Amino acid sequence: MSAYGMRIWGADGALQLDENSFTIRVALSTLVTFALGSPKGSQDFSVPGVGPGNGTAIVIPNGVYGSNQMQFETEMLDGVARVYNHTRTYAASTTSSGTMRLIVMRWR
């Protein structure tokens, strides 16, 4: 391992990956809460320099799921990570409540 990342060589001895090949870093990690019974909505989180071309937003459970805690949906916009408490592409979707952790990763 180098001072600034990992280097991986293939079976032929050729360098396959080094510290400049691919990097990913967490640009934002925060809790997102929607109250039980909230109407369909979203929350925006500022992430300067991160967008759909160089970043990904995910949510993971922050504890045990209850009966109204379905997965939140994320959307990556330019400089904004948006979290929805419903499925945008399914008009009849119900809303989800509870708290999940939003993680926005910037990659290059």
Side-chain angles (χ1 to χ4, degrees), residues 1-53:
M1 187 155 152
S2 74
Y4 301 103
M6 183 181 296
R7 292 183 178 174
I8 300 173
W9 286 265
D12 62 355
L15 183 63
Q16 302 294 310
L17 295 172
D18 67 14
E19 61 276 10
N20 297 310
S21 298
F22 184 83
T23 60
I24 190 166
R25 70 175 173 87
V26 173
L28 176 69
S29 175
T30 190
L31 295 175
V32 180
T33 301
F34 287 98
L36 182 62
S38 295
K40 288 183 179 180
S42 63
Q43 295 180 38
D44 288 350
F45 299 87
S46 178
V47 193
V50 182

Side-chain angles (χ1 to χ4, degrees), residues 75-92:
E75 179 181 21
M76 199 68 234
L77 306 167
D78 286 329
V80 175
R82 182 169 290 157
V83 180
Y84 297 87
N85 66 345
H86 64 282
T87 304
R88 296 175 298 144
T89 57
Y90 183 57

Side-chain angles (χ1 to χ4, degrees), residues 55-79:
T56 303
I58 63 168
V59 285
I60 57 173
N62 192 46
V64 178
Y65 273 87
S67 61
N68 290 312
Q69 292 178 305
M70 296 166 276
Q71 190 71 32
F72 296 159
E73 183 176 333
T74 61
E75 179 181 21
M76 199 68 234
L77 306 167
D78 286 329

